[in-house]
Every structure is written in C-alpha cells, then in structure tokens.
Amino acid sequence: MRIAFMGSPDFAVPALRALHAAGHDIAAVYCQPPRPAGRGQRETPCPVHRAALELGLPVRTPARLKRDAAGHEAFAALDLDAAVVAAYGLILPRAMLDAPRRGCINIHASLLPRWRGAAPIHAAILAGDAQTGITIMRMEEGLDTGPMLLAEALPIPPDATVGALHDALAAQGARLVVRALAEAPPAVPQPAAGVTYAPKLTKADGRLDWTTDAATLERRVRALNPWPGTYFDHGGEQVRVLAARVEPGTGAPGTLLDDAALVATGAGGLRLLRLQRPGRAAQDADAFLRGFALPHGAMLG
C-alpha cells in the first residue's frame, strides 16, 4: 500500500519501522522541523526524522500546514492509499484529510473516547485508571473524534511511570496500525458517553502541591516521569522527585515528619524515594540526604 507517515517523537518511531518492515511503500515521512537542542543549541532532527533517514525514506518538515495551498497540493500529488499519523504535532486541514483514498489513520494512546487530546498517557496515570490502550481511528477535523477502526486495552501496573507505559503503548500501536491497514476493519463511531480530555502539560504542572492527598501526589510523580518531572523548592533549589511511596503521616502539608524524607500532605504522608538536584545525578533518598539536608520539621515549598 502507498502511504505517507506523519509523526515526530519517540512514540511514533516503532510504527514507522513496523510499516516499513511490513513492506508498505512509504512515499514521504512528515515530521516537525529540526529545532535547537543541547548546550550548543544545534539544529537537531526529531526522532522520526532520524529514523526515516536511517531507513532511506524521503522526509518533509513543513513548519505549518494551515493555509498552505502548495503544501496541500504536494501532499495530494503523492497519490496515497492512506496516511498514518502518530503524535505528529500539527493539525491536518480538511484538504489533507481528504486526499488519501482510505483517509488519514491516527494511532491514539488511549481507549477513546476517554482521554482525547495531547497527553492521554499522563492523564490515565494521573486519574488512577486501571487500564488504557490504543485506538486506531480515522481522522476528521474534530479533536480525536473520528470513528474507530481497532482498539485494544493495556493494563496499567500500579507502579507504572509514564515512560514505561509510553514504550508499551508505542509497541502496541505499531502492531495495531499494521493490522488495521492489512484488514481494513469497518469504522465504528465513538460512544457519545465517557468523553474526557487530556490537555497539553507544561513545566508548571510538575510542582507538587502538598495540600493534595498523598495518593494523588504519588500518581503525579509517576505520571510526570520523565517529563515534565515533579519538583519542590527547598534551600534555594528546585529538587526533582523521581519516585515516592504513600505512607501513614499527619501534619501541616509540606512538613517533613522525620529525617528520612517523609512529607505530610493533605491526607497521609509521601515518602520521597529518589531525588535530584539541578545539574546533579539522581540519587536514592538515603544517598541524597547525606549531601542535602531535609531535616525533621522543615517545610518544603
């Protein structure tokens, strides 16, 4: 089948590789333009761009798609059977959605209609969901509103971080999209009930609010690891929390209840298990506390 692939981050790479291995004719790979990164701020291609070059595939990196008539014509000229989209980062206008004969097919990392939007993996952990999954859907102009072709659930382990769940869903999505193209299952409308949204996250979402209950904070630590990361302020530094555990504890929220990093929250205690200072390596709490004081009775910001 003649297809285009449209994706940018690591999540999309397994799908690109699986489609290539399945023998599809990938006429073009669309991804975000190279951007400055690292200490030298060198122009760096995104993960999909790098994978496409490794596979010898042609790459297109438009900065925008809306109101780009020439770009729409170039896309239509590819004469595609389908386009596969996975975390591309740009909204496809109607002219592009309608160009492929079988439409544009999206790999979405949730069981739609739950967690439409930009951060479905994070949202599932934050909410304490028991499962998530992959939905292969036919795209339309609404935000993740299109009819579903395939869906498959994936249990969320109680200790899952967003990084681990991301990798499992990426592999699952790669397998399912290959199957969707091969089997051409009928499109089924999404249920009208149960719609939720997962907005884009920012660095500010990582600040730990100690007035929140400990169970919610523990999920936030897992849901925002590795990005954007959770943190608190103390001693003039912003300290990242990479792992934590709920334990009994009572006190004013933010107060350290012992000398081993047990923090009082809005309900219960949160034991900080792995921490990181700016510019330093991450450490387990016992090693961290030998070089950074978090004394009993201190208040964390």
Side-chain angles (χ1 to χ4, degrees):
M1 187 177 296
R2 185 170 173 83
I3 66 172
F5 186 84
M6 313 179 85
S8 296
D10 286 317
F11 177 81
V13 171
L16 174 61
R17 293 190 182 279
L19 291 164
H20 182 266
H24 290 286
D25 176 13
I26 303 176
V29 174
Y30 282 73
C31 55
Q32 292 282 306
R35 292 194 167 90
R39 291 186 178 180
Q41 290 294 284
R42 296 180 59 184
E43 292 286 314
T44 303
C46 68
V48 165
H49 192 156
R50 297 195 297 271
L53 293 178
E54 178 187 325
L55 295 171
L57 300 172
V59 178
R60 299 181 179 183
T61 58
R64 61 184 179 87
L65 296 175
K66 193 175 181 180
R67 301 189 186 92
D68 181 8
H72 303 168
E73 291 174 5
F75 184 74
L78 292 172
D79 190 31
L80 301 171
D81 295 306
V84 173
V85 183
Y88 176 32
L90 291 178
I91 296 174
L92 272 60
R94 170 57 62 184
M96 297 182 74
L97 291 172
D98 291 344
R101 284 177 283 278
R102 288 176 55 179
C104 296
I105 298 170
N106 185 51
I107 305 170
H108 187 76
S110 79
L111 297 176
L112 291 169
R114 187 161 178 79
W115 304 130
R116 294 174 178 171
I121 306 175
H122 303 77
I125 296 178
L126 283 169
D129 291 354
Q131 67 174 9
T132 184
I134 290 288
T135 303
I136 307 297
M137 56 170 285
R138 184 173 297 149
M139 296 176 70
E140 56 185 32
E141 288 185 287
L143 178 63
D144 299 326
T145 58
M148 304 179 295
L149 302 174
L150 290 173
E152 184 177 275
L154 182 73
I156 301 178
D159 59 349
T161 65
V162 76
L165 194 57
H166 165 284
D167 292 350
L169 287 166
Q172 184 183 34
R175 174 172 51 80
L176 285 183
V177 78
V178 171
R179 181 180 151 199
L181 291 182
E183 297 178 4
V188 178
Q190 293 184 34
V195 176
T196 56
Y197 290 91
K200 185 176 181 179
L201 295 169
T202 69
K203 176 69 174 175
D205 291 306
R207 180 175 291 279
L208 293 171
D209 177 0
W210 301 114
T211 64
T212 307
D213 66 275
T216 298
L217 289 172
E218 189 273 337
R219 291 198 301 272
R220 180 162 291 271
V221 170
R222 289 188 288 110
L224 275 60
N225 179 3
W227 193 91
T230 50
Y231 61 91
F232 62 86
D233 292 323
H234 188 69
E237 295 189 28
Q238 192 176 90
V239 180
R240 292 191 65 185
V241 180
L242 304 175
R245 180 176 65 232
V246 176
E247 293 187 7
T250 304
T255 303
L256 286 157
L257 299 176
D258 61 17
D259 291 318
L262 178 64
V263 188
T265 74
L270 189 71
R271 177 77 65 187
L272 309 183
L273 300 176
R274 191 162 178 80
L275 303 117
Q276 184 176 21
R277 296 170 67 182
R280 307 286 186 89
Q283 294 179 299
D284 291 338
D286 56 350
F288 181 89
L289 293 171
R290 288 196 288 271
F292 190 87
L294 293 176
H296 185 189
M299 180 72 72
L300 302 182

